């Protein structure tokens, strides 16, 4: 099954993708994680993306479309995948269609802007495996340490309040129109992203089975 998780930054896409990919045995592809890894290893693409990310802007379409093209061609995507953070613009969605990638289901995880600000200000991520935690809503067993790989938890640069507002603006302007795009294709399910993580997983899995 080829799945897209849509939603604002901080809606819980990564948290849900980690649970669902375990359930369905398909990989999660996060363009944000791929770009951060490229930046860490100092590649040209990573360095080019940095200024956009730091300002809360989107990296140019041709860069992320190139990343996705390469990643979807890998063997582990043959039986399906979960896209987390791609597409984020209409041209990116059109590029997927043009590539002949058939998307089965798009789940939009809806969270209010006010809640997003709380979530992103308290988000901590593992610097090794990118697992996502929250200082009050989703604590690791041991403070500052990843439950999955014992890596160190850090705060993302772009989770600071000034950048969060810009990321929300960008989301409303450029990403939200994708809801209509996929609704018109009959692929969209909307779930509330507010409430227990396990309840949201239940709703998301139900939407995927519908
Ligand atoms: P995204 O991948 O959509 O940017 P994340 O999955 O990283 O979002 O979640 C953003 C933040 O919100 C993280 O700190 C995460 O632990 C927390 N979070 C995720 N789901 C919930 C939820 N249902 N309730 C409260 N906090 C949540
Ligand atoms: P994320 O980890 O999904 O929140 O992404 C972090 C940042 O990476 C975004 O704010 C963008 O700067 C960049 N990025 C990730 N995915 C995309 C995408 N599909 N299109 C453009 N920029 C992206």
């Amino acid at each position: 099954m080829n799945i897209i998780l849509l939603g604002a930054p901080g809606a819980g896409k990564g948290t849900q993708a980690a649970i669902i990919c375990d359930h369905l045995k398909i990989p999660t592809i996060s363009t944000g994680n791929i770009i951060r890894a490229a930046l860490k290893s100092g590649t040209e693409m990573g360095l080019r993306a940095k200024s956009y990310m730091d300002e809360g802007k989107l990296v140019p379409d041709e860069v992320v479309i190139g990343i996705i093209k390469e990643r979807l061609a890998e063997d582990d995507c043959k039986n399906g995948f979960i896209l987390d953070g791609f597409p984020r613009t209409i041209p990116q969605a059109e590029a997927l269609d043009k590539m002949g990638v058939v998307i089965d289901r798009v789940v939009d995880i809806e969270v209010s802007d006010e809640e997003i600000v709380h979530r992103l200000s308290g988000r901590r991520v593992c610097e090794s495996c990118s697992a996502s935690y929250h200082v009050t809503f989703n604590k690791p067993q041991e403070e500052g340490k990843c439950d999955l790989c014992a890596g160190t938890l850090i705060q993302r640069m772009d989770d600071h309040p000034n950048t969060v507002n810009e990321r929300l603006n960008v989301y409303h302007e450029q990403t939200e129109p994708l809801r209509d795009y996929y609704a018109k294709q009959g692929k969209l399910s909307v779930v509330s992203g507010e409430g227990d993580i396990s309840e949201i997983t239940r709703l998301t899995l139900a939407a995927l089975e519908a």
Side-chain angles (χ1 to χ4, degrees), residues 8-15 84 115 119-120 122-124 132-134 137-138 193 195-197 200:
K13 301 181 300 296
T15 302
D84 160 16
E115 173 71 10
R119 288 192 185 181
L120 292 184
R123 172 157 71 179
R124 299 293 180 270
S132 182
Y133 299 86
H134 192 280
F137 307 141
N138 184 19
D196 284 352
I197 290 173
I200 295 157

Side-chain angles (χ1 to χ4, degrees), residues 1-4 26 77-83 101-106 208:
M1 192 173 205
N2 299 340
I3 300 164
I4 292 173
I26 51 177
C77 294
K78 288 218 166 82
N79 296 323
F81 50 80
I82 304 168
L83 293 181
V101 174
V102 177
I103 298 298
D104 299 297
R105 204 81 217 145
V106 179
L208 293 176

Side-chain angles (χ1 to χ4, degrees), residues 9-10 13 30-33 35-36 49-50 52-61 64-65 68 84-89 92 120 123 156 158-159 163 167 170:
K13 301 181 300 296
S30 154
T31 37
N33 286 346
I35 296 167
R36 278 184 291 275
K50 182 178 166 29
Y52 297 98
M53 275 179 122
D54 285 352
E55 286 179 24
K57 304 243 186 294
L58 295 182
V59 171
D61 285 336
V64 277
I65 290 167
I68 279 292
D84 160 16
F86 186 96
R88 262 178 156 104
T89 65
Q92 291 178 19
L120 292 184
R123 172 157 71 179
R156 275 171 49 174
D158 58 349
D159 279 348
T163 324
R167 288 165 69 202
V170 165

Side-chain angles (χ1 to χ4, degrees), residues 17-185:
I19 302 168
I20 297 164
C21 84
D22 226 40
H23 236 82
L24 302 180
K25 309 284 176 231
I26 51 177
T28 295
I29 299 165
S30 154
T31 37
N33 286 346
I34 294 172
I35 296 167
R36 278 184 291 275
L39 183 54
K40 218 169 166 182
S41 41
T43 69
E44 198 190 319
M45 182 275 280
L47 295 172
R48 205 179 142 207
K50 182 178 166 29
S51 58
Y52 297 98
M53 275 179 122
D54 285 352
E55 286 179 24
K57 304 243 186 294
L58 295 182
V59 171
D61 285 336
E62 74 270 15
V63 177
V64 277
I65 290 167
I67 291 173
I68 279 292
K69 232 181 214 165
E70 270 184 28
R71 183 62 187 88
L72 292 182
E74 285 180 36
D75 248 17
D76 64 337
C77 294
K78 288 218 166 82
N79 296 323
F81 50 80
I82 304 168
L83 293 181
D84 160 16
F86 186 96
R88 262 178 156 104
T89 65
I90 298 279
Q92 291 178 19
E94 288 170 346
L96 265 185
D97 288 343
K98 274 189 210 128
M99 276 178 232
V101 174
V102 177
I103 298 298
D104 299 297
R105 204 81 217 145
V106 179
V107 180
D108 178 41
I109 305 178
E110 285 213 313
V111 173
S112 70
D113 285 5
E114 201 187 349
E115 173 71 10
I116 290 293
V117 172
H118 292 308
R119 288 192 185 181
L120 292 184
S121 62
R123 172 157 71 179
R124 299 293 180 270
V125 295
C126 174
E127 65 176 356
S128 306
C129 77
S130 306
S132 182
Y133 299 86
H134 192 280
V135 291
T136 43
F137 307 141
N138 184 19
K139 292 184 184 178
Q141 276 156 18
E142 197 180 319
E143 200 185 318
K145 200 168 172 183
C146 179
D147 292 349
L148 303 177
C149 76
T152 304
L153 303 187
I154 55 163
Q155 183 168 29
R156 275 171 49 174
M157 283 288 289
D158 58 349
D159 279 348
H160 287 280
N162 297 346
T163 324
V164 167
N165 284 337
E166 178 58 16
R167 288 165 69 202
L168 270 172
N169 289 338
V170 165
Y171 166 73
H172 289 302
E173 274 172 25
Q174 300 193 58
T175 308
E176 224 166 27
L178 289 174
R179 285 203 301 210
D180 260 9
Y181 183 90
Y182 287 113
K184 280 189 188 132
Q185 293 188 0

